[in-house]
Amino acid sequence: MTGPVLSAGTERRAGGVLRLVLGDQISDQLSALSDIDPQSDVVLMAEVRGEATYVRHHKQKIAMIFAAMRSFAGRLTARGVSVRHVRIDDPENSHDIVGEIQRALEATGCKRVVLTECGEWRLAEALKAFADGSAVPVDIREDDRFICSHERFRRWSGDRRQLRMEYFYRQMRRDTGLLMDGDEPAGGQWNYDAENRKRLPKGLQPPIRARTPANAITRGAIADVERLFPDHFGTLDGFGWPTTPDEAEAILDDFLSTILPGFGEWQDAMAASAPWMWHGLISTALNIGLLDPLETCRRAEAAYRDGRAPLNAVEGFIRQILGWREFVRGVYWLKMPDYGLRNALGADRSLPWFFWSGETDMTCVADTVEATRTNAYAHHIQRLMVTGNLAMLLGVDPDQVDDWYMTVFADAFEWVEMPNTRGMATFADGGIVGSKPYAASGAYINRMSDYCGACRYDVKGKTGDRACPFNRLYWGFLERNRSVLAGNARLAMPYRTLDGFGEDRRRALLAEAEAARLALGAVPKAASPR
Ligand code: FAD
Ligand code: DLZ
Ligand code: SF4
């Protein structure tokens, strides 16, 4: 490869518009493309090391993004659009998005740049700085693939004392009409979680899931990633992510037609060696633009209206996309950049090495990390109640927690990763995303999974080396963070229990938790070998 792949006539387009498409903007409906003139404009796509290495993304994530960009470039070219596609192995590649815009302006003679705002603060700032100093006009457009605009979220958040997803979600239901019967929520309730959250009964096997076989373009991207990013996290053998809209549609079809009816009931269940359960496996496709979130919700609603899936499942699924996904994105843009510095619990320990290696006797953690290495995926409850809960109970520095979540998942983009990690999972944001920490002992994991039976640790044990580490850590976590958490009304019960223990026992629980933290490798950062 000697230079950018150019479709015919791309070389000089004096007077045309240069339209940037980033690796997570793979969509015909992208605002940057809405008024494209194929006669004069050029679409720029650039595979750059800057984006591929600002964290050491899972190999599958890089392969998925490169493959999706290459396929999209091909589809646009086939429609007569001029595309300048800079490949990762182009010797003149500047390996920086802004650098590639500048090179493309020089090469094409385009007189204007149009782009869709990008999803991460880091790159958004770089693009804003470029726009401010640019000799040609730069038009940064809103990303209208999201259901809730920045302006709508700001208006909703207004001067509310607290931002709560449930109220935001109800507003989104009203705004979109999704699952509404007139002014009322379908079925008379906004939320059917009381019917969900069941433990998997013995003998019920999670369904076998359709994955996407790698097409020729994806296979090429996988080979490039293996060659160019060998030391990144994870393996490529289990790659199964869609990289084209058709492939993404096929995964969504399979989910809606056969899996969705079980989504609600088993939404919070976990099982060993069962990485997918009844989850949608669509976050990568939604996040990079292969699926449209509103359309996805409408199709799920149609499954309910046609009697193909029960309301508890469909409402639960729509709430994740219309509610949580839009809510965390709104919080991210409302609160950044301060949000990325929040550390409400003063967590300062280093992340234990087994988060990367999976080498731990904690069956629930080992299974989650192994699934993540193989699939670049863990389902929500594994992310929240296994790795997230453990990182919070250990008091791991939120920067290291963020780095881990950004690195290991194919769907990780900071706008969605950070509020989930700093907010929902570890309470580092002090209660912006969630009203209380999701701290739980081993009893929760035991109730919702089959992990504990096969574990070396005793899920009923409270103290000592054989006791489940979640139990050893739980009360010490509450005691350690008393000054921040004890005033939280939703934690009144556990703090009452803790207070009933008396001072000596509380001191012993703190010591027990500290011993567990050190034994697991959550040491003060200065003492960390890394
Ligand atoms: P399903 O369970 O089938 O849910 C359907 C869709 O709902 C998902 O595809 C996703 O788009 C949306 N959704 C569900 N829960 C959330 C949520 N809490 N926030 C935002 N969207 C949600 N999701 C990401 O897309 N990228 C991340 O980097 C990410 N990091 C997370 C980190 C932590 C600590 C936690 C607790 C959650 C994180 N999530 C993240 C949210 C959620 O776990 C994933 O979206 C989900 O596991 C993706 O798998 P799925 O498509 O099978 O989801
Ligand atoms: C994640 C990613 C990766 C791995 N590589 C590229 C790339 O080479 N070129 C590109 O345009 N985008 C890439 N991306 C996606 C960007 O990181 C993403 O657009 C920003 O982080 C904003 O969300
Ligand atoms: Fe996880 Fe504790 Fe159960 Fe082991 S006993 S699987 S560490 S919850």
PDB file of all heavy atoms in Angstrom, residues 418-444:
ATOM      1  N   MET A 418     -17.693   5.755  30.645  1.00  0.00           N
ATOM      2  CA  MET A 418     -17.330   6.480  31.877  1.00  0.00           C
ATOM      3  C   MET A 418     -18.495   6.655  32.866  1.00  0.00           C
ATOM      4  O   MET A 418     -18.334   6.375  34.061  1.00  0.00           O
ATOM      5  CB  MET A 418     -16.681   7.820  31.532  1.00  0.00           C
ATOM      6  CG  MET A 418     -16.133   8.515  32.750  1.00  0.00           C
ATOM      7  SD  MET A 418     -15.344  10.061  32.358  1.00  0.00           S
ATOM      8  CE  MET A 418     -13.713   9.539  31.904  1.00  0.00           C
ATOM      9  N   PRO A 419     -19.678   7.085  32.418  1.00  0.00           N
ATOM     10  CA  PRO A 419     -20.762   7.209  33.406  1.00  0.00           C
ATOM     11  C   PRO A 419     -21.176   5.856  33.993  1.00  0.00           C
ATOM     12  O   PRO A 419     -21.625   5.789  35.135  1.00  0.00           O
ATOM     13  CB  PRO A 419     -21.911   7.825  32.609  1.00  0.00           C
ATOM     14  CG  PRO A 419     -21.288   8.409  31.394  1.00  0.00           C
ATOM     15  CD  PRO A 419     -20.087   7.575  31.089  1.00  0.00           C
ATOM     16  N   ASN A 420     -21.018   4.783  33.213  1.00  0.00           N
ATOM     17  CA  ASN A 420     -21.324   3.464  33.763  1.00  0.00           C
ATOM     18  C   ASN A 420     -20.297   3.055  34.806  1.00  0.00           C
ATOM     19  O   ASN A 420     -20.630   2.445  35.821  1.00  0.00           O
ATOM     20  CB  ASN A 420     -21.361   2.417  32.641  1.00  0.00           C
ATOM     21  CG  ASN A 420     -22.757   2.264  32.062  1.00  0.00           C
ATOM     22  OD1 ASN A 420     -23.682   1.857  32.753  1.00  0.00           O
ATOM     23  ND2 ASN A 420     -22.917   2.631  30.798  1.00  0.00           N
ATOM     24  N   THR A 421     -19.031   3.403  34.549  1.00  0.00           N
ATOM     25  CA  THR A 421     -17.964   2.935  35.423  1.00  0.00           C
ATOM     26  C   THR A 421     -17.815   3.850  36.629  1.00  0.00           C
ATOM     27  O   THR A 421     -17.908   3.420  37.779  1.00  0.00           O
ATOM     28  CB  THR A 421     -16.656   2.873  34.606  1.00  0.00           C
ATOM     29  OG1 THR A 421     -16.869   2.014  33.488  1.00  0.00           O
ATOM     30  CG2 THR A 421     -15.522   2.333  35.430  1.00  0.00           C
ATOM     31  N   ARG A 422     -17.589   5.138  36.346  1.00  0.00           N
ATOM     32  CA  ARG A 422     -17.416   6.101  37.442  1.00  0.00           C
ATOM     33  C   ARG A 422     -18.731   6.355  38.175  1.00  0.00           C
ATOM     34  O   ARG A 422     -18.749   6.740  39.333  1.00  0.00           O
ATOM     35  CB  ARG A 422     -16.901   7.434  36.890  1.00  0.00           C
ATOM     36  CG  ARG A 422     -15.499   7.749  37.352  1.00  0.00           C
ATOM     37  CD  ARG A 422     -14.935   8.913  36.602  1.00  0.00           C
ATOM     38  NE  ARG A 422     -13.633   8.560  36.114  1.00  0.00           N
ATOM     39  CZ  ARG A 422     -12.490   8.916  36.694  1.00  0.00           C
ATOM     40  NH1 ARG A 422     -12.476   9.661  37.749  1.00  0.00           N
ATOM     41  NH2 ARG A 422     -11.329   8.525  36.192  1.00  0.00           N
ATOM     42  N   GLY A 423     -19.846   6.157  37.440  1.00  0.00           N
ATOM     43  CA  GLY A 423     -21.143   6.425  38.033  1.00  0.00           C
ATOM     44  C   GLY A 423     -21.778   5.164  38.570  1.00  0.00           C
ATOM     45  O   GLY A 423     -21.711   4.870  39.756  1.00  0.00           O
ATOM     46  N   MET A 424     -22.363   4.374  37.658  1.00  0.00           N
ATOM     47  CA  MET A 424     -23.180   3.251  38.101  1.00  0.00           C
ATOM     48  C   MET A 424     -22.392   2.211  38.904  1.00  0.00           C
ATOM     49  O   MET A 424     -22.838   1.749  39.945  1.00  0.00           O
ATOM     50  CB  MET A 424     -23.827   2.581  36.880  1.00  0.00           C
ATOM     51  CG  MET A 424     -24.879   1.557  37.261  1.00  0.00           C
ATOM     52  SD  MET A 424     -25.465   0.606  35.867  1.00  0.00           S
ATOM     53  CE  MET A 424     -26.292   1.803  34.891  1.00  0.00           C
ATOM     54  N   ALA A 425     -21.205   1.841  38.429  1.00  0.00           N
ATOM     55  CA  ALA A 425     -20.539   0.684  39.037  1.00  0.00           C
ATOM     56  C   ALA A 425     -19.739   1.030  40.286  1.00  0.00           C
ATOM     57  O   ALA A 425     -19.698   0.238  41.225  1.00  0.00           O
ATOM     58  CB  ALA A 425     -19.639   0.000  38.014  1.00  0.00           C
ATOM     59  N   THR A 426     -19.092   2.171  40.341  1.00  0.00           N
ATOM     60  CA  THR A 426     -18.172   2.406  41.472  1.00  0.00           C
ATOM     61  C   THR A 426     -18.526   3.616  42.323  1.00  0.00           C
ATOM     62  O   THR A 426     -17.835   3.901  43.291  1.00  0.00           O
ATOM     63  CB  THR A 426     -16.724   2.592  40.970  1.00  0.00           C
ATOM     64  OG1 THR A 426     -16.664   3.796  40.200  1.00  0.00           O
ATOM     65  CG2 THR A 426     -16.251   1.418  40.134  1.00  0.00           C
ATOM     66  N   PHE A 427     -19.558   4.372  41.960  1.00  0.00           N
ATOM     67  CA  PHE A 427     -20.000   5.523  42.752  1.00  0.00           C
ATOM     68  C   PHE A 427     -18.914   6.586  42.876  1.00  0.00           C
ATOM     69  O   PHE A 427     -18.944   7.433  43.760  1.00  0.00           O
ATOM     70  CB  PHE A 427     -20.463   5.080  44.150  1.00  0.00           C
ATOM     71  CG  PHE A 427     -21.510   5.975  44.747  1.00  0.00           C
ATOM     72  CD1 PHE A 427     -22.792   6.014  44.247  1.00  0.00           C
ATOM     73  CD2 PHE A 427     -21.209   6.793  45.828  1.00  0.00           C
ATOM     74  CE1 PHE A 427     -23.771   6.841  44.813  1.00  0.00           C
ATOM     75  CE2 PHE A 427     -22.169   7.629  46.401  1.00  0.00           C
ATOM     76  CZ  PHE A 427     -23.455   7.639  45.880  1.00  0.00           C
ATOM     77  N   ALA A 428     -17.935   6.571  41.967  1.00  0.00           N
ATOM     78  CA  ALA A 428     -16.877   7.591  42.036  1.00  0.00           C
ATOM     79  C   ALA A 428     -17.448   8.977  41.733  1.00  0.00           C
ATOM     80  O   ALA A 428     -16.861   9.986  42.119  1.00  0.00           O
ATOM     81  CB  ALA A 428     -15.759   7.255  41.062  1.00  0.00           C
ATOM     82  N   ASP A 429     -18.601   9.019  41.026  1.00  0.00           N
ATOM     83  CA  ASP A 429     -19.189  10.332  40.715  1.00  0.00           C
ATOM     84  C   ASP A 429     -19.999  10.889  41.884  1.00  0.00           C
ATOM     85  O   ASP A 429     -20.570  11.987  41.788  1.00  0.00           O
ATOM     86  CB  ASP A 429     -20.023  10.278  39.431  1.00  0.00           C
ATOM     87  CG  ASP A 429     -21.352   9.541  39.595  1.00  0.00           C
ATOM     88  OD1 ASP A 429     -21.614   9.039  40.700  1.00  0.00           O
ATOM     89  OD2 ASP A 429     -22.120   9.477  38.626  1.00  0.00           O
ATOM     90  N   GLY A 430     -20.082  10.146  42.988  1.00  0.00           N
ATOM     91  CA  GLY A 430     -20.741  10.646  44.191  1.00  0.00           C
ATOM     92  C   GLY A 430     -22.258  10.676  44.093  1.00  0.00           C
ATOM     93  O   GLY A 430     -22.904  11.318  44.923  1.00  0.00           O
ATOM     94  N   GLY A 431     -22.832  10.015  43.087  1.00  0.00           N
ATOM     95  CA  GLY A 431     -24.295   9.909  43.057  1.00  0.00           C
ATOM     96  C   GLY A 431     -24.972  10.666  41.934  1.00  0.00           C
ATOM     97  O   GLY A 431     -26.152  10.982  42.038  1.00  0.00           O
ATOM     98  N   ILE A 432     -24.235  10.966  40.862  1.00  0.00           N
ATOM     99  CA  ILE A 432     -24.879  11.645  39.723  1.00  0.00           C
ATOM    100  C   ILE A 432     -25.695  10.636  38.917  1.00  0.00           C
ATOM    101  O   ILE A 432     -26.854  10.874  38.581  1.00  0.00           O
ATOM    102  CB  ILE A 432     -23.821  12.342  38.838  1.00  0.00           C
ATOM    103  CG1 ILE A 432     -23.148  13.465  39.626  1.00  0.00           C
ATOM    104  CG2 ILE A 432     -24.461  12.887  37.559  1.00  0.00           C
ATOM    105  CD1 ILE A 432     -22.019  14.147  38.891  1.00  0.00           C
ATOM    106  N   VAL A 433     -25.100   9.489  38.606  1.00  0.00           N
ATOM    107  CA  VAL A 433     -25.800   8.493  37.783  1.00  0.00           C
ATOM    108  C   VAL A 433     -26.722   7.610  38.630  1.00  0.00           C
ATOM    109  O   VAL A 433     -27.838   7.305  38.233  1.00  0.00           O
ATOM    110  CB  VAL A 433     -24.777   7.634  36.988  1.00  0.00           C
ATOM    111  CG1 VAL A 433     -25.415   6.369  36.447  1.00  0.00           C
ATOM    112  CG2 VAL A 433     -24.204   8.460  35.839  1.00  0.00           C
ATOM    113  N   GLY A 434     -26.264   7.191  39.771  1.00  0.00           N
ATOM    114  CA  GLY A 434     -27.072   6.287  40.602  1.00  0.00           C
ATOM    115  C   GLY A 434     -27.280   6.889  41.983  1.00  0.00           C
ATOM    116  O   GLY A 434     -26.483   7.699  42.433  1.00  0.00           O
ATOM    117  N   SER A 435     -28.354   6.443  42.638  1.00  0.00           N
ATOM    118  CA  SER A 435     -28.644   7.070  43.937  1.00  0.00           C
ATOM    119  C   SER A 435     -27.867   6.412  45.071  1.00  0.00           C
ATOM    120  O   SER A 435     -27.801   6.938  46.172  1.00  0.00           O
ATOM    121  CB  SER A 435     -30.145   7.024  44.215  1.00  0.00           C
ATOM    122  OG  SER A 435     -30.606   5.707  44.077  1.00  0.00           O
ATOM    123  N   LYS A 436     -27.303   5.236  44.829  1.00  0.00           N
ATOM    124  CA  LYS A 436     -26.482   4.590  45.872  1.00  0.00           C
ATOM    125  C   LYS A 436     -25.501   3.637  45.192  1.00  0.00           C
ATOM    126  O   LYS A 436     -25.728   3.234  44.052  1.00  0.00           O
ATOM    127  CB  LYS A 436     -27.349   3.823  46.854  1.00  0.00           C
ATOM    128  CG  LYS A 436     -27.992   2.590  46.264  1.00  0.00           C
ATOM    129  CD  LYS A 436     -28.582   1.731  47.364  1.00  0.00           C
ATOM    130  CE  LYS A 436     -29.130   0.451  46.778  1.00  0.00           C
ATOM    131  NZ  LYS A 436     -28.661  -0.761  47.274  1.00  0.00           N
ATOM    132  N   PRO A 437     -24.417   3.275  45.886  1.00  0.00           N
ATOM    133  CA  PRO A 437     -23.488   2.311  45.283  1.00  0.00           C
ATOM    134  C   PRO A 437     -24.151   0.941  45.170  1.00  0.00           C
ATOM    135  O   PRO A 437     -24.889   0.545  46.064  1.00  0.00           O
ATOM    136  CB  PRO A 437     -22.326   2.253  46.276  1.00  0.00           C
ATOM    137  CG  PRO A 437     -22.551   3.310  47.274  1.00  0.00           C
ATOM    138  CD  PRO A 437     -23.985   3.741  47.208  1.00  0.00           C
ATOM    139  N   TYR A 438     -23.858   0.241  44.070  1.00  0.00           N
ATOM    140  CA  TYR A 438     -24.363  -1.132  43.902  1.00  0.00           C
ATOM    141  C   TYR A 438     -23.451  -2.111  44.643  1.00  0.00           C
ATOM    142  O   TYR A 438     -23.047  -3.123  44.071  1.00  0.00           O
ATOM    143  CB  TYR A 438     -24.387  -1.506  42.420  1.00  0.00           C
ATOM    144  CG  TYR A 438     -25.597  -1.023  41.653  1.00  0.00           C
ATOM    145  CD1 TYR A 438     -25.579   0.179  40.971  1.00  0.00           C
ATOM    146  CD2 TYR A 438     -26.750  -1.791  41.601  1.00  0.00           C
ATOM    147  CE1 TYR A 438     -26.681   0.634  40.249  1.00  0.00           C
ATOM    148  CE2 TYR A 438     -27.864  -1.352  40.891  1.00  0.00           C
ATOM    149  CZ  TYR A 438     -27.817  -0.144  40.218  1.00  0.00           C
ATOM    150  OH  TYR A 438     -28.912   0.282  39.519  1.00  0.00           O
ATOM    151  N   ALA A 439     -23.077  -1.800  45.872  1.00  0.00           N
ATOM    152  CA  ALA A 439     -22.177  -2.680  46.611  1.00  0.00           C
ATOM    153  C   ALA A 439     -22.933  -3.934  47.035  1.00  0.00           C
ATOM    154  O   ALA A 439     -24.061  -3.840  47.512  1.00  0.00           O
ATOM    155  CB  ALA A 439     -21.648  -1.955  47.842  1.00  0.00           C
ATOM    156  N   ALA A 440     -22.319  -5.091  46.839  1.00  0.00           N
ATOM    157  CA  ALA A 440     -22.988  -6.331  47.241  1.00  0.00           C
ATOM    158  C   ALA A 440     -21.964  -7.347  47.709  1.00  0.00           C
ATOM    159  O   ALA A 440     -20.839  -7.390  47.215  1.00  0.00           O
ATOM    160  CB  ALA A 440     -23.794  -6.898  46.072  1.00  0.00           C
ATOM    161  N   SER A 441     -22.393  -8.178  48.629  1.00  0.00           N
ATOM    162  CA  SER A 441     -21.537  -9.273  49.097  1.00  0.00           C
ATOM    163  C   SER A 441     -21.707 -10.467  48.162  1.00  0.00           C
ATOM    164  O   SER A 441     -22.455 -10.392  47.178  1.00  0.00           O
ATOM    165  CB  SER A 441     -21.942  -9.658  50.523  1.00  0.00           C
ATOM    166  OG  SER A 441     -23.238 -10.215  50.478  1.00  0.00           O
ATOM    167  N   GLY A 442     -21.049 -11.581  48.491  1.00  0.00           N
ATOM    168  CA  GLY A 442     -21.149 -12.782  47.663  1.00  0.00           C
ATOM    169  C   GLY A 442     -22.571 -13.321  47.585  1.00  0.00           C
ATOM    170  O   GLY A 442     -22.913 -14.019  46.625  1.00  0.00           O
ATOM    171  N   ALA A 443     -23.407 -13.002  48.557  1.00  0.00           N
ATOM    172  CA  ALA A 443     -24.775 -13.546  48.566  1.00  0.00           C
ATOM    173  C   ALA A 443     -25.521 -13.151  47.287  1.00  0.00           C
ATOM    174  O   ALA A 443     -26.273 -13.946  46.722  1.00  0.00           O
ATOM    175  CB  ALA A 443     -25.524 -13.047  49.797  1.00  0.00           C
ATOM    176  N   TYR A 444     -25.293 -11.924  46.805  1.00  0.00           N
ATOM    177  CA  TYR A 444     -25.978 -11.489  45.581  1.00  0.00           C
ATOM    178  C   TYR A 444     -25.535 -12.359  44.400  1.00  0.00           C
ATOM    179  O   TYR A 444     -26.363 -12.871  43.636  1.00  0.00           O
ATOM    180  CB  TYR A 444     -25.695 -10.004  45.285  1.00  0.00           C
ATOM    181  CG  TYR A 444     -26.298  -9.578  43.960  1.00  0.00           C
ATOM    182  CD1 TYR A 444     -27.596  -9.103  43.887  1.00  0.00           C
ATOM    183  CD2 TYR A 444     -25.571  -9.719  42.762  1.00  0.00           C
ATOM    184  CE1 TYR A 444     -28.165  -8.766  42.671  1.00  0.00           C
ATOM    185  CE2 TYR A 444     -26.133  -9.383  41.542  1.00  0.00           C
ATOM    186  CZ  TYR A 444     -27.423  -8.906  41.495  1.00  0.00           C
ATOM    187  OH  TYR A 444     -27.983  -8.585  40.283  1.00  0.00           O
TER     188      TYR A 444
END
